Short mmCIF file of all heavy atoms in Angstrom, two decimals:
data_model
loop_
_atom_site.label_atom_id
_atom_site.label_comp_id
_atom_site.label_asym_id
_atom_site.label_seq_id
_atom_site.Cartn_x
_atom_site.Cartn_y
_atom_site.Cartn_z
N GLY A 1 105.59 159.72 130.11
CA GLY A 1 106.99 160.11 130.07
C GLY A 1 107.38 160.79 128.77
O GLY A 1 106.67 160.78 127.78
N TYR A 2 108.58 161.35 128.81
CA TYR A 2 109.09 162.15 127.69
C TYR A 2 109.37 161.27 126.47
O TYR A 2 109.91 160.19 126.59
CB TYR A 2 110.35 162.85 128.14
CG TYR A 2 110.85 163.88 127.17
CD1 TYR A 2 110.26 165.13 127.10
CD2 TYR A 2 111.89 163.58 126.29
CE1 TYR A 2 110.70 166.08 126.20
CE2 TYR A 2 112.34 164.53 125.40
CZ TYR A 2 111.74 165.77 125.35
OH TYR A 2 112.17 166.70 124.45
N HIS A 3 109.01 161.76 125.29
CA HIS A 3 109.23 161.07 124.01
C HIS A 3 108.50 159.73 123.98
O HIS A 3 108.95 158.76 123.34
CB HIS A 3 110.73 160.86 123.75
CG HIS A 3 111.08 160.67 122.30
ND1 HIS A 3 110.81 159.50 121.63
CD2 HIS A 3 111.68 161.48 121.40
CE1 HIS A 3 111.23 159.60 120.37
NE2 HIS A 3 111.76 160.81 120.21
N ALA A 4 107.37 159.64 124.66
CA ALA A 4 106.58 158.40 124.64
C ALA A 4 105.84 158.27 123.32
O ALA A 4 105.40 159.26 122.73
CB ALA A 4 105.58 158.41 125.80
N TYR A 5 105.68 157.03 122.86
CA TYR A 5 104.99 156.77 121.60
C TYR A 5 103.48 156.79 121.81
O TYR A 5 102.93 155.92 122.48
CB TYR A 5 105.43 155.42 121.03
CG TYR A 5 106.84 155.47 120.50
CD1 TYR A 5 107.93 155.24 121.34
CD2 TYR A 5 107.09 155.79 119.17
CE1 TYR A 5 109.22 155.30 120.87
CE2 TYR A 5 108.38 155.86 118.69
CZ TYR A 5 109.45 155.61 119.53
OH TYR A 5 110.73 155.70 119.07
N GLN A 6 102.83 157.79 121.24
CA GLN A 6 101.38 157.93 121.40
C GLN A 6 100.63 156.97 120.51
O GLN A 6 99.67 156.33 120.92
CB GLN A 6 100.95 159.36 121.08
CG GLN A 6 99.46 159.59 121.31
CD GLN A 6 98.96 160.81 120.54
OE1 GLN A 6 99.20 160.94 119.34
NE2 GLN A 6 98.27 161.69 121.24
N HIS A 7 101.03 156.89 119.24
CA HIS A 7 100.37 155.93 118.36
C HIS A 7 101.28 155.49 117.23
O HIS A 7 102.23 156.18 116.87
CB HIS A 7 99.05 156.48 117.81
CG HIS A 7 99.17 157.58 116.81
ND1 HIS A 7 99.18 158.92 117.15
CD2 HIS A 7 99.28 157.55 115.44
CE1 HIS A 7 99.28 159.66 116.06
NE2 HIS A 7 99.35 158.85 115.01
N ILE A 8 100.97 154.32 116.71
CA ILE A 8 101.64 153.77 115.54
C ILE A 8 100.61 153.68 114.43
O ILE A 8 99.49 153.22 114.64
CB ILE A 8 102.24 152.38 115.83
CG1 ILE A 8 103.34 152.51 116.89
CG2 ILE A 8 102.77 151.73 114.56
CD1 ILE A 8 103.88 151.18 117.35
N ALA A 9 100.99 154.14 113.24
CA ALA A 9 100.09 154.09 112.09
C ALA A 9 100.50 152.95 111.17
O ALA A 9 101.68 152.80 110.83
CB ALA A 9 100.12 155.41 111.33
N ILE A 10 99.52 152.14 110.78
CA ILE A 10 99.73 151.01 109.89
C ILE A 10 99.10 151.33 108.54
O ILE A 10 97.95 151.80 108.48
CB ILE A 10 99.08 149.73 110.46
CG1 ILE A 10 99.53 149.49 111.91
CG2 ILE A 10 99.38 148.53 109.57
CD1 ILE A 10 101.00 149.25 112.07
N ARG A 11 99.83 151.09 107.47
CA ARG A 11 99.29 151.34 106.15
C ARG A 11 98.44 150.15 105.70
O ARG A 11 98.82 148.99 105.88
CB ARG A 11 100.39 151.60 105.13
CG ARG A 11 99.91 152.37 103.92
CD ARG A 11 101.06 152.77 103.03
NE ARG A 11 102.11 153.42 103.81
CZ ARG A 11 103.36 153.54 103.38
NH1 ARG A 11 103.73 153.06 102.22
NH2 ARG A 11 104.24 154.16 104.14
N VAL A 12 97.27 150.47 105.15
CA VAL A 12 96.30 149.45 104.76
C VAL A 12 95.88 149.65 103.31
O VAL A 12 95.70 150.79 102.86
CB VAL A 12 95.04 149.52 105.67
CG1 VAL A 12 94.04 148.45 105.29
CG2 VAL A 12 95.42 149.41 107.13
N ASP A 13 95.74 148.56 102.59
CA ASP A 13 95.15 148.61 101.25
C ASP A 13 93.65 148.34 101.38
O ASP A 13 93.25 147.36 102.01
CB ASP A 13 95.79 147.56 100.36
CG ASP A 13 95.20 147.56 98.96
OD1 ASP A 13 95.15 148.63 98.33
OD2 ASP A 13 94.76 146.48 98.51
N ASN A 14 92.82 149.22 100.83
CA ASN A 14 91.35 149.14 100.91
C ASN A 14 90.88 149.31 102.36
O ASN A 14 90.33 148.39 102.98
CB ASN A 14 90.82 147.83 100.34
CG ASN A 14 89.32 147.89 100.06
OD1 ASN A 14 88.64 148.86 100.42
ND2 ASN A 14 88.79 146.84 99.44
N ILE A 15 91.10 150.50 102.88
CA ILE A 15 90.79 150.77 104.29
C ILE A 15 89.28 150.70 104.57
O ILE A 15 88.88 150.33 105.67
CB ILE A 15 91.38 152.13 104.72
CG1 ILE A 15 91.43 152.25 106.25
CG2 ILE A 15 90.60 153.29 104.10
CD1 ILE A 15 92.20 153.45 106.75
N ASP A 16 88.46 151.00 103.58
CA ASP A 16 87.01 150.91 103.79
C ASP A 16 86.60 149.48 104.11
O ASP A 16 85.81 149.23 105.03
CB ASP A 16 86.26 151.43 102.56
CG ASP A 16 86.51 152.90 102.29
OD1 ASP A 16 85.79 153.73 102.88
OD2 ASP A 16 87.43 153.21 101.53
N ALA A 17 87.14 148.53 103.33
CA ALA A 17 86.83 147.12 103.58
C ALA A 17 87.40 146.67 104.92
O ALA A 17 86.78 145.88 105.64
CB ALA A 17 87.39 146.25 102.45
N PHE A 18 88.58 147.18 105.27
CA PHE A 18 89.21 146.86 106.55
C PHE A 18 88.33 147.30 107.71
O PHE A 18 88.08 146.54 108.65
CB PHE A 18 90.57 147.53 106.63
CG PHE A 18 91.18 147.54 108.01
CD1 PHE A 18 91.71 146.39 108.56
CD2 PHE A 18 91.20 148.71 108.76
CE1 PHE A 18 92.26 146.40 109.83
CE2 PHE A 18 91.75 148.73 110.03
CZ PHE A 18 92.28 147.57 110.56
N ILE A 19 87.85 148.55 107.65
CA ILE A 19 87.00 149.08 108.73
C ILE A 19 85.72 148.26 108.87
O ILE A 19 85.32 147.89 109.98
CB ILE A 19 86.68 150.56 108.48
CG1 ILE A 19 87.96 151.41 108.59
CG2 ILE A 19 85.63 151.08 109.47
CD1 ILE A 19 87.80 152.83 108.09
N THR A 20 85.08 147.97 107.76
CA THR A 20 83.84 147.17 107.79
C THR A 20 84.10 145.81 108.42
O THR A 20 83.33 145.35 109.27
CB THR A 20 83.28 147.00 106.36
OG1 THR A 20 82.97 148.29 105.83
CG2 THR A 20 82.04 146.14 106.37
N ALA A 21 85.20 145.17 108.02
CA ALA A 21 85.53 143.84 108.55
C ALA A 21 85.82 143.90 110.04
O ALA A 21 85.37 143.04 110.82
CB ALA A 21 86.72 143.26 107.80
N MET A 22 86.57 144.91 110.48
CA MET A 22 86.91 145.03 111.89
C MET A 22 85.69 145.33 112.75
O MET A 22 85.50 144.76 113.83
CB MET A 22 87.97 146.12 112.09
CG MET A 22 89.33 145.81 111.50
SD MET A 22 90.08 144.29 112.12
CE MET A 22 89.68 143.13 110.78
N GLN A 23 84.84 146.23 112.28
CA GLN A 23 83.64 146.57 113.04
C GLN A 23 82.70 145.37 113.16
O GLN A 23 82.03 145.21 114.19
CB GLN A 23 82.93 147.76 112.40
CG GLN A 23 83.67 149.07 112.59
CD GLN A 23 83.01 150.25 111.89
OE1 GLN A 23 82.37 150.09 110.86
NE2 GLN A 23 83.18 151.45 112.44
N SER A 24 82.68 144.53 112.17
CA SER A 24 81.83 143.33 112.23
C SER A 24 82.33 142.35 113.29
O SER A 24 81.58 141.49 113.74
CB SER A 24 81.80 142.63 110.86
OG SER A 24 83.03 141.98 110.57
N LYS A 25 83.61 142.51 113.70
CA LYS A 25 84.19 141.65 114.72
C LYS A 25 84.31 142.34 116.07
O LYS A 25 84.96 141.83 116.99
CB LYS A 25 85.56 141.16 114.26
CG LYS A 25 85.51 140.30 112.99
CD LYS A 25 86.89 139.88 112.55
CE LYS A 25 86.84 139.09 111.24
NZ LYS A 25 86.09 137.84 111.39
N GLY A 26 83.70 143.53 116.19
CA GLY A 26 83.66 144.21 117.47
C GLY A 26 84.76 145.22 117.72
O GLY A 26 84.81 145.85 118.78
N VAL A 27 85.68 145.39 116.77
CA VAL A 27 86.76 146.38 116.94
C VAL A 27 86.14 147.78 116.94
O VAL A 27 85.25 148.08 116.14
CB VAL A 27 87.80 146.25 115.81
CG1 VAL A 27 88.80 147.40 115.86
CG2 VAL A 27 88.53 144.91 115.93
N GLN A 28 86.64 148.64 117.84
CA GLN A 28 86.06 149.97 118.00
C GLN A 28 87.05 151.06 117.58
O GLN A 28 88.24 150.98 117.90
CB GLN A 28 85.65 150.20 119.45
CG GLN A 28 84.60 149.19 119.93
CD GLN A 28 84.06 149.55 121.30
OE1 GLN A 28 83.42 150.57 121.47
NE2 GLN A 28 84.33 148.71 122.27
N PHE A 29 86.53 152.06 116.88
CA PHE A 29 87.35 153.16 116.39
C PHE A 29 87.01 154.43 117.14
O PHE A 29 85.87 154.67 117.51
CB PHE A 29 87.15 153.34 114.89
CG PHE A 29 87.70 152.19 114.08
CD1 PHE A 29 86.88 151.12 113.73
CD2 PHE A 29 89.03 152.16 113.71
CE1 PHE A 29 87.39 150.05 113.02
CE2 PHE A 29 89.54 151.10 112.99
CZ PHE A 29 88.72 150.04 112.64
N LEU A 30 88.04 155.26 117.31
CA LEU A 30 87.89 156.51 118.05
C LEU A 30 87.30 157.61 117.17
O LEU A 30 86.50 158.42 117.62
CB LEU A 30 89.26 156.91 118.60
CG LEU A 30 89.40 158.14 119.47
CD1 LEU A 30 90.61 157.97 120.38
CD2 LEU A 30 89.57 159.40 118.65
N SER A 31 87.75 157.65 115.92
CA SER A 31 87.36 158.74 115.02
C SER A 31 86.59 158.20 113.83
O SER A 31 86.61 157.00 113.55
CB SER A 31 88.62 159.47 114.51
OG SER A 31 89.31 158.65 113.57
N PRO A 32 85.93 159.09 113.08
CA PRO A 32 85.41 158.68 111.77
C PRO A 32 86.57 158.53 110.79
O PRO A 32 87.72 158.85 111.11
CB PRO A 32 84.51 159.85 111.37
CG PRO A 32 85.08 161.02 112.09
CD PRO A 32 85.62 160.49 113.39
N LEU A 33 86.29 158.05 109.61
CA LEU A 33 87.29 157.98 108.56
C LEU A 33 87.44 159.35 107.92
O LEU A 33 86.48 159.93 107.42
CB LEU A 33 86.88 156.95 107.50
CG LEU A 33 87.85 156.77 106.32
CD1 LEU A 33 89.17 156.17 106.80
CD2 LEU A 33 87.21 155.89 105.25
N TYR A 34 88.66 159.88 107.96
CA TYR A 34 88.93 161.19 107.36
C TYR A 34 89.54 161.00 105.98
O TYR A 34 90.40 160.13 105.79
CB TYR A 34 89.89 161.99 108.23
CG TYR A 34 89.32 162.38 109.57
CD1 TYR A 34 89.84 161.85 110.74
CD2 TYR A 34 88.26 163.27 109.66
CE1 TYR A 34 89.32 162.21 111.98
CE2 TYR A 34 87.74 163.64 110.89
CZ TYR A 34 88.27 163.11 112.05
OH TYR A 34 87.75 163.45 113.26
N GLU A 35 89.12 161.82 105.03
CA GLU A 35 89.67 161.77 103.68
C GLU A 35 90.21 163.13 103.29
O GLU A 35 89.62 164.16 103.62
CB GLU A 35 88.59 161.34 102.67
CG GLU A 35 88.04 159.95 102.92
CD GLU A 35 87.08 159.51 101.82
OE1 GLU A 35 87.22 159.99 100.67
OE2 GLU A 35 86.19 158.70 102.10
N ARG A 36 91.31 163.15 102.60
CA ARG A 36 91.90 164.38 102.10
C ARG A 36 92.68 164.05 100.84
O ARG A 36 92.87 162.88 100.50
CB ARG A 36 92.82 165.02 103.14
CG ARG A 36 93.98 164.14 103.56
CD ARG A 36 94.76 164.76 104.70
NE ARG A 36 95.79 163.88 105.21
CZ ARG A 36 97.02 163.78 104.68
NH1 ARG A 36 97.34 164.53 103.65
NH2 ARG A 36 97.91 162.96 105.18
N THR A 37 93.14 165.07 100.15
CA THR A 37 93.92 164.88 98.94
C THR A 37 95.28 165.54 99.11
O THR A 37 95.37 166.71 99.51
CB THR A 37 93.20 165.49 97.72
OG1 THR A 37 91.93 164.84 97.57
CG2 THR A 37 94.02 165.27 96.46
N ASP A 38 96.35 164.79 98.86
CA ASP A 38 97.68 165.36 98.88
C ASP A 38 98.23 165.35 97.44
O ASP A 38 97.50 164.97 96.51
CB ASP A 38 98.59 164.63 99.88
CG ASP A 38 99.00 163.24 99.43
OD1 ASP A 38 98.71 162.86 98.27
OD2 ASP A 38 99.63 162.53 100.23
N PRO A 39 99.46 165.79 97.20
CA PRO A 39 99.95 165.86 95.82
C PRO A 39 100.00 164.52 95.09
O PRO A 39 100.13 164.48 93.87
CB PRO A 39 101.37 166.41 96.00
CG PRO A 39 101.30 167.21 97.26
CD PRO A 39 100.38 166.45 98.14
N PHE A 40 99.87 163.41 95.83
CA PHE A 40 99.92 162.09 95.20
C PHE A 40 98.54 161.48 94.99
O PHE A 40 98.40 160.46 94.33
CB PHE A 40 100.76 161.14 96.06
CG PHE A 40 102.18 161.61 96.23
CD1 PHE A 40 102.56 162.31 97.36
CD2 PHE A 40 103.13 161.37 95.24
CE1 PHE A 40 103.86 162.74 97.52
CE2 PHE A 40 104.43 161.81 95.39
CZ PHE A 40 104.80 162.51 96.53
N GLY A 41 97.51 162.08 95.58
CA GLY A 41 96.16 161.55 95.44
C GLY A 41 95.41 161.53 96.76
O GLY A 41 95.73 162.29 97.68
N LYS A 42 94.42 160.65 96.88
CA LYS A 42 93.55 160.62 98.06
C LYS A 42 94.19 159.83 99.20
O LYS A 42 94.75 158.75 99.01
CB LYS A 42 92.20 159.98 97.70
CG LYS A 42 91.19 159.99 98.84
CD LYS A 42 89.84 159.46 98.41
CE LYS A 42 89.13 160.44 97.51
NZ LYS A 42 87.74 160.02 97.21
N VAL A 43 94.09 160.41 100.40
CA VAL A 43 94.58 159.78 101.63
C VAL A 43 93.39 159.56 102.56
O VAL A 43 92.54 160.45 102.71
CB VAL A 43 95.63 160.66 102.34
CG1 VAL A 43 96.15 159.97 103.59
CG2 VAL A 43 96.77 161.00 101.40
N LYS A 44 93.34 158.39 103.20
CA LYS A 44 92.28 158.09 104.17
C LYS A 44 92.94 157.69 105.48
O LYS A 44 93.89 156.91 105.49
CB LYS A 44 91.37 156.97 103.67
CG LYS A 44 90.64 157.30 102.38
CD LYS A 44 89.74 156.14 101.95
CE LYS A 44 88.98 156.46 100.67
NZ LYS A 44 88.09 155.34 100.27
N GLN A 45 92.40 158.20 106.60
CA GLN A 45 92.97 157.94 107.91
C GLN A 45 91.86 157.72 108.93
O GLN A 45 90.81 158.37 108.88
CB GLN A 45 93.81 159.13 108.38
CG GLN A 45 95.01 159.45 107.51
CD GLN A 45 95.59 160.81 107.85
OE1 GLN A 45 95.17 161.83 107.31
NE2 GLN A 45 96.56 160.84 108.77
N ILE A 46 92.14 156.82 109.89
CA ILE A 46 91.20 156.60 110.99
C ILE A 46 91.99 156.20 112.23
O ILE A 46 93.02 155.53 112.14
CB ILE A 46 90.15 155.50 110.63
CG1 ILE A 46 89.02 155.50 111.68
CG2 ILE A 46 90.80 154.12 110.49
CD1 ILE A 46 87.83 154.65 111.25
N PHE A 47 91.53 156.67 113.40
CA PHE A 47 92.12 156.31 114.68
C PHE A 47 91.26 155.23 115.34
O PHE A 47 90.03 155.33 115.34
CB PHE A 47 92.18 157.51 115.62
CG PHE A 47 93.19 158.54 115.24
CD1 PHE A 47 92.94 159.89 115.46
CD2 PHE A 47 94.41 158.19 114.70
CE1 PHE A 47 93.87 160.86 115.13
CE2 PHE A 47 95.35 159.16 114.36
CZ PHE A 47 95.08 160.49 114.58
#
């Protein structure tokens, strides 16, 4: 439907440790971890 929420993004401190912990418990990710730099510094994102 129209204006449906596709995804919600949660901010995480130490996303690398988060991903490792989740994968060890069977959580599955759609994408690899993407890294980029914005005017404030490094940004990391994963779906």
Side-chain angles (χ1 to χ4, degrees):
Y2 190 78
H3 203 286
Y5 288 86
Q6 184 200 50
H7 70 269
I8 295 174
I10 308 297
R11 202 172 309 161
V12 181
D13 179 53
N14 196 352
I15 197 170
D16 296 274
F18 166 75
I19 293 169
T20 298
M22 293 302 99
Q23 288 177 330
S24 73
K25 298 178 183 297
V27 172
Q28 299 188 65
F29 292 92
L30 183 154
S31 72
L33 180 66
Y34 294 113
E35 298 186 27
R36 60 186 174 85
T37 300
D38 73 7
F40 300 97
K42 184 175 288 187
V43 181
K44 298 181 179 181
Q45 298 167 272
I46 192 169
F47 289 145

